[in-house]
């Protein structure tokens, strides 16, 4: 369960693309991806703050369901990619479902959420 906490930091940025800098994620964890449908259109309409707010809220939902040091994530502006431990995935998905409702009702933005267990990605790529 301490996958993220036990990662070794990369101390020299020039090593960031070296294969030795990567660690295999646990097979029972999940990749969770969120995205706001038609976010480019909304940004072009001057709604970038709304898009960024909902995109960042996806991360906040996940972090609120766990210890902040458990969840690695990347913010994409209109969503996020996260690694979720198996014991947190149901709760995170439940929170994101509530966020989807808020995004649509209050901001007229459609939040999409997808997830897959890492083991299935390994099987698919072999």
């Amino acid at each position: 369960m301490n996958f993220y906490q036990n990662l070794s930091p990369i101390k020299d940025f020039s090593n960031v693309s070296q294969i030795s800098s990567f660690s295999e994620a646990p097979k029972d964890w999940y990749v969770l991806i969120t995205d706001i449908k038609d976010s480019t259109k909304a940004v072009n309409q001057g709604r970038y703050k709304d898009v960024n707010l909902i995109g960042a809220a996806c991360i906040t939902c996940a972090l609120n369901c766990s210890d902040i040091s458990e969840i690695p994530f990347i913010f994409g502006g209109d969503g996020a990619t996260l690694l979720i431990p198996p014991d947190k995935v149901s709760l995170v998905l439940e929170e994101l479902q509530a966020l989807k409702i808020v995004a649509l009702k209050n901001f007229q933005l459609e939040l999409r959420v997808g997830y897959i267990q890492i083991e299935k990605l390994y099987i698919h790529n072999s």
Side-chain angles (χ1 to χ4, degrees), residues 56-114:
C58 297
I59 297 167
T60 303
C61 284
L63 296 179
N64 284 344
C65 295
S66 64
D67 180 326
I68 195 167
S69 64
E70 285 183 319
I71 308 286
F73 62 86
I74 298 172
F75 176 58
D78 67 341
T81 302
L82 308 99
L83 287 181
I84 308 293
D87 64 325
K88 304 290 185 197
V89 73
S90 293
L91 184 56
V92 171
L93 289 170
E94 189 176 302
E95 292 296 314
L96 288 171
Q97 184 61 37
L99 180 60
K100 286 176 71 164
I101 294 167
V102 168
L104 193 57
K105 181 179 177 184
N106 296 340
F107 297 93
Q108 296 72 52
L109 294 171
E110 184 181 340
L111 178 64
R112 300 183 286 192
V113 178

Side-chain angles (χ1 to χ4, degrees), residues 38-58:
D38 295 327
S39 60
T40 302
K41 180 179 175 184
V43 168
N44 288 339
Q45 294 170 345
R47 301 186 58 213
Y48 68 92
K49 288 182 181 180
D50 294 343
V51 169
N52 285 167
L53 175 72
I54 298 302
C58 297

